[in-house]
Amino acid sequence: MSNEKNYCKEEEKFSLHDARRKFLKQSSALAAVALATPVLVKAAEKQLDEKASAYFEKQPLNLEVNGIAHQLSVEPRVTLLDLLREQLHLTGTKKGCDYGQCGACTVHVGGKRVLSCLSLAVMQDGKKITTIEGLAKDEELHPMQDAFIRHDGFQCGYCTPGQIMSAVACVREGHANNEEEIRQYMSGNICRCGAYPNIVDAIKEVKEKGGTI
């Protein structure tokens, strides 16, 4: 008999606990609804809140990428890297660390190297951008691309686009006068395969040959 009483008490406690939990959930939901505007409630019901927010937040953006003009509409939070890869489908620029530490996302903005993962797309309005896809002319490789191939300046190849973009900038900036200087000004680009000696040799060769880089 005592066991039955204990069982009934436990069942009663569970029911009260369950009822209290449901009450709290319902109260929270009602409070949220009461505080929200009718428009937001309607959007939430249709699961369009995220889409509606994105629509109203988007800003016009004009860019010239690899010589082609683009009129775009982007959210203020979109990075230049995500814009290039996801909207313009220029996937040569790689997403590595996403914290500006590996250099795989390096592109040129106005002729200067930029870490596209740390740069907001809206900040580049009206600027000229060059990615790895824009270095070659038709089927003729850029001198730096050719040098990387001949000196085997890559292994897995994931960091290579960023390495090449930085290498081109390194020469243009006048920071490729010797091996030590090249290593210093290329230090922001990490090669996990360890092809650094070959990368340095490629840059040295392009620098020594001169010509338009």
Side-chain angles (χ1 to χ4, degrees):
M1 191 69 178
S2 59
N3 288 336
E4 290 183 5
K5 287 183 178 179
N6 290 334
Y7 176 78
C8 290
K9 286 181 180 180
E10 289 297 325
E11 190 176 32
E12 186 178 353
K13 286 181 181 178
F14 178 79
S15 298
L16 288 172
H17 178 72
D18 190 49
R20 188 181 297 111
R21 185 168 53 188
K22 288 182 179 178
F23 173 75
L24 290 172
K25 284 184 178 180
Q26 291 173 351
S27 298
S28 299
L30 288 171
V33 171
L35 292 171
T37 64
V39 174
L40 289 178
V41 172
K42 186 176 181 180
E45 288 174 351
K46 295 182 179 180
Q47 297 182 342
L48 295 175
D49 50 339
E50 285 289 333
K51 293 181 180 179
S53 176
Y55 175 80
F56 287 111
E57 288 179 0
K58 284 186 176 180
Q59 297 183 10
L61 177 65
N62 295 305
L63 295 176
E64 183 180 311
V65 183
N66 299 332
I68 301 174
H70 295 274
Q71 293 184 336
L72 305 163
S73 181
V74 299
E75 294 179 57
R77 62 186 174 183
V78 171
T79 64
L80 178 58
L81 174 59
D82 286 338
L83 174 71
L84 292 171
R85 288 181 59 83
E86 296 176 14
Q87 287 190 238
L88 300 182
H89 308 295
L90 296 171
T91 55
T93 305
K94 304 303 182 186
K95 179 176 284 194
C97 65
D98 217 19
Y99 289 97
Q101 296 178 352
C102 72
C105 68
T106 304
V107 298
H108 295 172
V109 177
K112 297 181 179 180
R113 48 179 155 176
V114 167
L115 295 172
S116 58
C117 76
L118 295 183
S119 177
L120 294 175
V122 292
M123 296 173 64
Q124 314 308 328
D125 189 41
K127 296 181 181 179
K128 295 182 179 180
I129 296 168
T130 304
T131 70
I132 189 69
E133 292 92 343
L135 285 185
K137 293 182 179 179
D138 297 323
E139 295 185 4
E140 182 183 352
L141 292 176
H142 184 278
M144 192 64 75
Q145 291 174 308
D146 182 60
F148 263 66
I149 292 171
R150 286 186 294 99
H151 286 275
D152 196 19
F154 53 90
Q155 289 184 35
C156 79
Y158 195 85
C159 74
T160 306
Q163 295 277 5
I164 291 175
M165 297 305 290
S166 277
V168 171
C170 187
V171 174
R172 289 177 178 174
E173 293 164 3
H175 298 312
N177 298 306
N178 54 63
E179 185 173 321
E180 183 180 351
E181 190 175 46
I182 291 172
R183 288 183 179 276
Q184 178 182 350
Y185 283 92
M186 288 292 293
S187 61
N189 291 78
I190 296 173
C191 173
R192 302 188 190 282
C193 300
Y196 296 115
N198 299 351
I199 291 171
V200 172
D201 288 343
I203 297 171
K204 284 170 60 179
E205 181 183 278
V206 173
K207 167 65 177 178
E208 289 167 4
K209 283 186 175 179
T212 303
I213 304 301

